[in-house]
Amino acid sequence: MASRTVYCICGEPYDSVRFMIQCDSCKDWYHGSCVNVKEHESSDIEKYHCVQCQKIVGPSILREVKNYHRHDYGDSNADGKAVQSGTSVFVKELRSRHFKSADDIVIRLRGPQLSLPYLIQNGFNYPILVDSTVGLGLQMPSDSFTVSDVMDYIGPNFPLDVIDVARQENIRMPMSEWVEYFNSSVRNKVYNVISLEFSKTRLSDLVKPPSIVQKLSWVENYWPKNSETHTPYCPQVMKYCLMSAQDSYTDFHIDFGGTSVWYHILRGEKIFFLIQPTPANLALYEHWMASSNQSETFFGDQVDVCYQMTLTQGQTLFIPTGWIHAVLTPDDSLVFGGNFLHSLNIPVQLHIHEMEKRINTPEKYKFPTFETVHWFAAPNILEQLRDNNVSKRELSYLVTGAKALVSVLKIWSSDSQNHKHDDVPPGINVTKLIKDLMKEVRIAEKYASSKNPMVAARKPPVRQKRKEVVAKQRVEKILKMVPTESEKNLNLVSQYPLKPKISPNSDIFYDDFPFHSQNPDMQLHMQDSKMMLDKMNIDIKSFLDSASLKEGAIVNRNITVPFGIACKDGNFPLKKESVYDFVDSDDDNLIVDENPVNSRKRELKKEHFAQDVCPDVQPGLRLRLSCMY
């Protein structure tokens, strides 16, 4: 807008809240409502001519649709360019593809089974699906509830953030225009509403989240109900209404702040594409988010496994912290859901928050007052730790979460440049809180060590089984050396880091990197490994079955379980290099070998074993095998 005050033909000045459009001929500005031009229709106008100018230069000129696979549908040079996400061509191709069923990773429960004791015992690391609302403590409108009913409760002038799916861009639209579009039998565009938070409207009285969500939510339980005026505004993220037209598509994302999600289908159907938050997948996701060709790359193809599941009317889905997911809407849908922070996956929540800062996520797409919520939660985590220490109970998820929390609170309280002291609620003694948390964590760790000593009495190995045991260990290490698809892609990310370039317009963008190239050294290594396995004549499948390996279990004691992989106790331990590692502990986890073996004898035994197992293997490979162990 020019520095001078501009007025519409109605006599009112320019208002940033109301949509206005400029005439390309006379350059005057007009309220869209005054000239009968809707904001969501303005993107289809190539040149707008006001009523007066139409008499001279003719009517407004609309943009011509020249392609159906690019966000810029007016691009006449789109032939040969990649298909972009959300376009009609993309949705059609996605519908025809097949993915691995999510039955392998989704946990099915009945409403009464989904309780706090269940999650404490089993963890909340995989999506949970509940077919019926019975026993969930969930309150919903009747299944005859429509978008017109939504307007009756929130008002026709309520402003909506609407996504133009084909262009993957946000537009503004009043509720009345949305209802008019949604109820229309002929639609020229595909629109999607996924960010209508209605906690402060009359619609809130009709919706109640599942009871387990209310028990877990930090905001629900720890944010002061009667806060003083200088306390930050309570974040409202527990109640969202999602209204999606057929063929709506939301690209891969992680919910803000690493929040978990509850998601109930009142009407319609949704297709979820789910990706587990392993370290490799999270690193690839971060690189994908920063890449210049993000809209041209289907992220599900960059990881080991992308699961697909269909959610139908009446079902409720619970998505854990950090899961990467995309959503396709095969039919018009009305959904209620919400987000919540909790104590079961604190390290992953903090990891996602740090990732959002690294990729410069806009503030409007972050969890509001994220750090303040953690300050409110910290004293409660401390009290729970104290109670458990007094009663001699072991809650490993709580100890792990407290370790991550106390580490980040120390960073937030000391880094005055990146963290505002206003985020700390009044009445909290930061120094004492951190000190007390550290003390209780040490007590919990010492008790766990005394109850489960790491040094156990060793029994002499059975001589005749020694070769079999060592052989299994070798196969295990070889299998770990064969990279998965995510690990190969992650290696390429490190080999081809993002290198910023400066465009003529001084905008920073990033180079692509090859996902599918094959390392020659890895090919040679895999050939050698296969030769060894053939010579050892070991059945890998039966070995894996007998070993009872669990994804995420620690097999090699030098390998730390990473973010996003559940241990046997269901927790998400931290990587050693994490900024959230808690090191202020008296327990150094050292193991003393009370039966040392002469190193010279050990080397001879290794070489003899290599000769016994693989007598025909070429000397160079046999030497390599003996040196590996």
Side-chain angles (χ1 to χ4, degrees):
M1 295 296 300
S3 57
R4 65 182 180 89
T5 302
V6 296
Y7 292 85
C8 174
I9 55 176
C10 66
E12 296 181 5
Y14 170 79
D15 184 359
S16 59
V17 177
R18 297 174 61 187
F19 166 68
M20 297 191 75
I21 189 170
Q22 185 182 33
C23 177
D24 288 289
S25 180
C26 65
K27 305 302 180 182
D28 286 337
W29 288 85
Y30 303 91
H31 290 120
S33 57
C34 294
V35 293
N36 197 28
V37 176
K38 299 176 181 178
E39 181 177 0
H40 66 272
E41 297 174 344
S42 61
S43 61
D44 296 328
I45 300 176
E46 186 74 30
K47 289 186 178 181
Y48 172 71
H49 299 151
C50 65
V51 176
Q52 297 298 326
C53 292
Q54 286 182 14
K55 301 176 181 177
I56 303 174
V57 297
S60 300
I61 302 175
L62 300 179
R63 298 184 65 190
E64 182 181 354
V65 178
K66 298 180 179 179
N67 71 81
Y68 293 92
H69 67 283
R70 302 289 295 178
H71 293 165
D72 181 9
Y73 56 84
D75 184 2
S76 58
N77 299 317
D79 291 344
K81 294 183 179 179
V83 176
Q84 290 183 296
S85 60
T87 60
S88 59
V89 174
F90 171 88
V91 171
K92 183 178 180 180
E93 292 180 356
L94 185 60
R95 279 176 172 268
S96 64
R97 292 189 57 180
H98 297 281
F99 297 85
K100 188 172 183 179
S101 172
D103 292 340
D104 295 340
I105 49 101
V106 173
I107 301 172
R108 286 181 174 266
L109 297 176
R110 291 181 291 106
Q113 292 178 306
L114 185 55
S115 61
L116 194 56
Y118 172 87
L119 294 179
I120 290 176
Q121 180 178 356
N122 299 280
F124 184 25
N125 305 323
Y126 293 92
I128 297 175
L129 178 63
V130 181
D131 290 322
S132 172
T133 59
V134 177
L136 268 182
L138 178 68
Q139 178 180 319
M140 283 284 130
S142 66
D143 54 12
S144 61
F145 200 76
T146 66
V147 294
S148 298
D149 297 320
V150 174
M151 181 178 66
D152 292 339
Y153 279 90
I154 69 173
N157 296 323
F158 193 96
L160 296 178
D161 287 319
V162 181
I163 299 176
D164 185 335
V165 176
R167 295 190 300 130
Q168 291 290 291
E169 290 185 0
N170 290 330
I171 59 175
R172 299 281 289 180
M173 187 184 300
M175 186 67 201
S176 57
E177 289 185 11
W178 168 257
V179 172
E180 179 183 350
Y181 157 80
F182 200 88
N183 293 333
S184 175
S185 58
V186 179
R187 301 171 182 167
N188 297 323
K189 297 288 187 69
V190 179
Y191 291 140
N192 193 11
V193 173
I194 60 174
S195 58
L196 170 56
E197 216 291 332
F198 58 90
S199 294
K200 295 299 183 180
T201 70
R202 291 193 305 118
L203 182 59
S204 180
D205 297 333
L206 301 182
V207 177
K208 182 180 178 181
S211 56
I212 186 62
V213 173
Q214 300 179 61
K215 292 177 182 178
L216 289 174
S217 172
W218 279 359
V219 174
E220 188 74 13
N221 293 283
Y222 302 150
W223 197 280
K225 301 300 180 183
N226 299 317
S227 58
E228 300 177 6
T229 55
H230 53 275
T231 301
Y233 179 74
C234 178
Q236 304 294 335
V237 294
M238 280 276 283
K239 295 181 179 181
Y240 283 95
C241 177
L242 296 83
M243 300 171 285
S244 306
Q246 180 179 353
D247 289 338
S248 291
Y249 174 76
T250 304
D251 212 349
F252 285 97
H253 64 282
I254 299 175
D255 278 82
F256 50 71
T259 51
S260 298
V261 182
W262 70 274
Y263 199 92
H264 177 80
I265 306 290
L266 185 68
R267 301 181 66 182
E269 188 176 286
K270 294 280 185 175
I271 298 176
F272 278 79
F273 303 92
L274 301 164
I275 297 174
Q276 191 173 1
T278 63
N281 290 343
L282 288 177
L284 288 171
Y285 172 79
E286 184 173 348
H287 190 280
W288 174 74
M289 287 290 291
S291 64
S292 59
N293 65 335
Q294 176 186 351
S295 65
E296 300 174 354
T297 306
F298 185 72
F299 183 69
D301 293 334
Q302 311 306 324
V303 298
D304 296 330
V305 183
C306 178
Y307 299 96
Q308 176 179 327
M309 71 167 298
T310 300
L311 203 63
T312 58
Q313 181 171 324
Q315 292 182 321
T316 306
L317 180 66
F318 298 85
I319 304 177
T321 306
W323 276 73
I324 309 165
H325 56 284
V327 187
L328 177 65
T329 307
D331 297 304
D332 290 355
S333 299
L334 179 59
V335 174
F336 289 97
N339 299 70
F340 57 101
L341 294 168
H342 54 84
S343 302
L344 295 174
N345 296 329
I346 296 176
V348 191
Q349 291 174 174
L350 295 171
H351 181 72
I352 300 304
H353 176 64
E354 289 300 315
M355 181 193 298
E356 290 175 341
K357 291 194 292 186
R358 288 195 298 270
I359 61 179
N360 297 319
T361 302
E363 287 298 323
K364 65 178 295 186
Y365 298 122
K366 292 182 180 179
F367 189 99
T369 63
F370 180 87
E371 295 182 9
T372 304
V373 174
H374 282 72
W375 283 110
F376 276 130
N380 295 275
I381 301 295
L382 173 61
E383 289 303 315
Q384 293 175 38
L385 265 179
R386 281 176 175 165
D387 293 342
N388 291 329
N389 289 338
V390 170
S391 59
K392 302 298 182 183
R393 289 184 298 174
E394 282 191 89
L395 290 180
S396 55
Y397 80 88
L398 191 61
V399 178
T400 304
K403 290 167 65 175
L405 182 59
V406 70
S407 297
V408 78
L409 292 183
K410 291 167 67 175
I411 296 175
W412 291 350
S413 61
S414 61
D415 188 357
S416 58
Q417 293 182 350
N418 298 324
H419 304 277
K420 299 178 295 184
H421 291 293
D422 295 341
D423 293 330
V424 181
I428 290 183
N429 187 328
V430 174
T431 304
K432 186 176 186 303
L433 174 61
I434 293 176
K435 182 178 179 180
D436 291 345
L437 270 172
M438 293 167 61
K439 175 184 175 181
E440 296 301 326
V441 167
R442 284 196 296 268
I443 294 174
E445 288 185 325
K446 288 181 179 179
Y447 173 70
S449 298
S450 64
K451 187 176 180 181
N452 302 302
M454 299 182 65
V455 180
R458 295 186 178 181
K459 296 182 180 180
V462 181
R463 193 172 190 83
Q464 58 269 25
K465 291 187 178 181
R466 180 172 180 81
K467 290 185 179 181
E468 180 183 352
V469 173
V470 178
K472 288 183 178 181
Q473 292 175 349
R474 292 183 177 181
V475 174
E476 180 183 302
K477 287 192 176 183
I478 291 173
L479 291 177
K480 281 185 171 292
M481 292 178 183
V482 179
T484 63
E485 189 67 27
S486 292
E487 290 167 341
K488 288 189 288 186
N489 290 342
L490 188 57
N491 289 335
L492 289 170
V493 170
S494 62
Q495 294 175 18
Y496 301 92
L498 292 171
K499 298 179 181 179
K501 291 183 178 180
I502 304 300
S503 69
N505 297 324
S506 299
D507 292 328
I508 296 179
F509 61 99
Y510 296 91
D511 282 333
D512 303 337
F513 66 96
F515 275 100
H516 303 293
S517 61
Q518 181 68 42
N519 190 329
D521 294 336
M522 183 55 66
Q523 289 181 346
L524 178 60
H525 174 73
M526 294 174 68
Q527 292 173 2
D528 291 346
S529 300
K530 185 178 185 305
M531 289 176 58
M532 176 184 165
L533 292 174
D534 292 339
K535 292 293 181 181
M536 295 172 69
N537 194 24
I538 293 177
D539 185 353
I540 300 176
K541 185 178 186 303
S542 61
F543 160 69
L544 292 176
D545 293 339
S546 63
S548 300
L549 297 178
K550 176 183 179 181
E551 185 177 13
I554 301 179
V555 181
N556 186 327
R557 60 183 174 184
N558 295 323
I559 299 176
T560 303
V561 177
F563 275 112
I565 302 296
C567 292
K568 291 181 179 178
D569 58 5
N571 290 312
F572 287 82
L574 291 171
K575 296 171 67 177
K576 287 186 177 180
E577 64 270 20
S578 170
V579 296
Y580 302 122
D581 273 356
F582 179 82
V583 296
D584 190 3
S585 174
D586 299 335
D587 184 7
D588 54 9
N589 293 330
L590 293 178
I591 303 176
V592 179
D593 190 349
E594 299 177 354
N595 300 291
V597 181
N598 185 282
S599 59
R600 174 60 182 167
K601 292 182 178 179
R602 180 179 297 169
E603 293 299 327
L604 290 175
K605 288 182 179 180
K606 288 177 182 177
E607 187 167 352
H608 289 322
F609 177 82
Q611 294 174 359
D612 294 340
V613 175
C614 309
D616 299 329
V617 178
Q618 51 185 322
L621 177 58
R622 188 165 63 231
L623 177 61
R624 186 188 309 177
L625 295 176
S626 62
C627 292
M628 285 170 59
Y629 305 96

